[in-house]
Amino acid sequence: MPLTAYDLSGRTAFVTGSASGIGRASAVLLAEAGATVHCADRDAQGLHETATLIKDAGGTAHTHTLDVADRTQVDQAVASATAATGRLDVMAAIAGIMHNSPVLETRDEDLDRVLNINFKGVLYACQAAARAMIAANTGTTTTAATATNADEANRSRRPGSIITMASGAVDTGGPGLLCYGAAKAAVVQLTKTLATEVGPHGIRVNAVAPGWIRTPMTDRHDTATQAHTEGLMVRMSPLGRVGEPEDIAHAVLHLASDASAFTTGQILRPNGGVAMPW
Ligand code: NAI
C-alpha cells in the first residue's frame, strides 16, 4: 500500500512513450501506485509488453497505438481514455526521439521531425489533457463562484497533474544537440506557460529534466562505446552511477501525486548531480 500522498487509486493516467525506457518504467510505477494507466506509443508490440507487465502485477492498463506528432490521433486517444473511466488525472508526455547533427549540417527536415515529435507531440498531449481536466472540474458542484472562499473552491476540485519530459540538455547544451535541445527548451517554456494558465483550474504542470539514463535511446549498439559513455557519466556523477529508467519514473510519480501538491511550473532534475543549475 503506497503512502497516502503517493496513492493514485481511482485515478486515471495517460503516458506517452510508454512502450520503452522511461515511459514504460513510469507507466508501470503509476499503475503500482494504483492508477489506471493508458499507455500510448507508436510501437504496438512494446505497448503490449508494457501492458502485460502492468496486468501481471495486478494493475489496470489500456493501450493506444498513435503518433504523438498527429494532433487528431492524440485528441482521439485522450478522449477515449477519458470516456472509459470518466476522467483524466495525470498526463505524462514522455515520448521523444534523439537526433544529433552539427548546426552547420542541420537540415530543415531534421529540425521539423524533432520539433514535431519532441515539442508538438508534448504540446498536443498537454492541450488534450488540460482540456479534459478543465471539463471534468467544470462539473464540480462547488465552484469558485459558489464557494464561500477560495480555499473551499480549491479543495472541491479534483487535482490534475501534467508532466512533460525535458532533458539536461536544456541546461548544458552540447555538440550536435541543436534540434533536440531546441525542442526540449520549448518544452520547458510550454511547461511554465501552461502552469500559469491552468493553475487557477487546480491543474499543476511540471517538467522532468533527466540526466543520462540507460535506455534504448542511449544504447550505442557497441560495447566499447557504451562502456566509454557510461564510464564518463559515472565519473561525472557524485553518486558514482548512471541513471536507470526507474530513477525517472519515481520523479514522475512524485509530480503525478499529491506529494507535490504545491509544486507547479518547476523543472525537476534527476541527473545524479551531474549538473547543478540554480
Ligand atoms: P526510448 O527510446 O526508450 O523511448 C522513447 C519512446 O517514445 C519509444 O517507445 C518510442 O516508440 C516513443 N516514440 C518516439 N516517437 C514517437 C511518436 N512520434 N509517437 C509515439 N511514440 C513515439 O527513450 P527514453 O530514453 O525512454 O526517452 C524517453 C523521454 O525521455 C524522451 O522524451 C527523451 O528525450 C527523454 N530523455 C531521455 C534521456 C536519456 O538519457 N535516456 C535523458 C533526458 C531526457
Side-chain angles (χ1 to χ4, degrees), residues 3-145:
L3 284 171
T4 310
Y6 288 95
D7 185 0
L8 299 182
S9 300
R11 300 201 190 172
T12 301
F14 193 103
V15 184
T16 76
S18 44
S20 175
I22 292 168
R24 169 176 287 174
S26 300
V28 167
L29 191 62
L30 293 175
E32 204 178 297
T36 293
V37 181
H38 289 261
C39 304
D41 203 289
R42 63 183 173 188
D43 172 3
Q45 176 58 32
L47 274 183
H48 173 71
E49 291 167 11
T50 303
T52 302
L53 283 172
I54 291 173
K55 289 173 185 169
D56 285 353
T60 308
H62 305 274
T63 59
H64 306 266
T65 305
L66 53 76
D67 179 352
V68 293
D70 184 322
R71 182 192 282 282
T72 305
Q73 291 183 28
V74 173
D75 283 347
Q76 284 172 352
V78 171
S80 113
T82 311
T85 59
R87 52 193 324 130
L88 181 65
D89 302 287
V90 176
M91 167 61 78
I94 296 176
I97 56 168
M98 173 48 79
H99 174 81
N100 252 286
S101 63
V103 173
L104 299 188
E105 291 167 24
T106 296
R107 306 164 306 169
D108 282 358
E109 50 265 44
D110 299 327
L111 193 53
D112 290 345
R113 189 170 63 92
V114 179
L115 287 175
N116 282 342
I117 295 173
N118 288 9
F119 173 56
K120 286 190 183 175
V122 175
L123 172 65
Y124 299 156
C126 287
Q127 288 176 321
R131 286 184 184 123
M133 290 170 181
I134 289 169
N137 273 333
T138 303
T140 310
T141 49
T142 307
T143 65

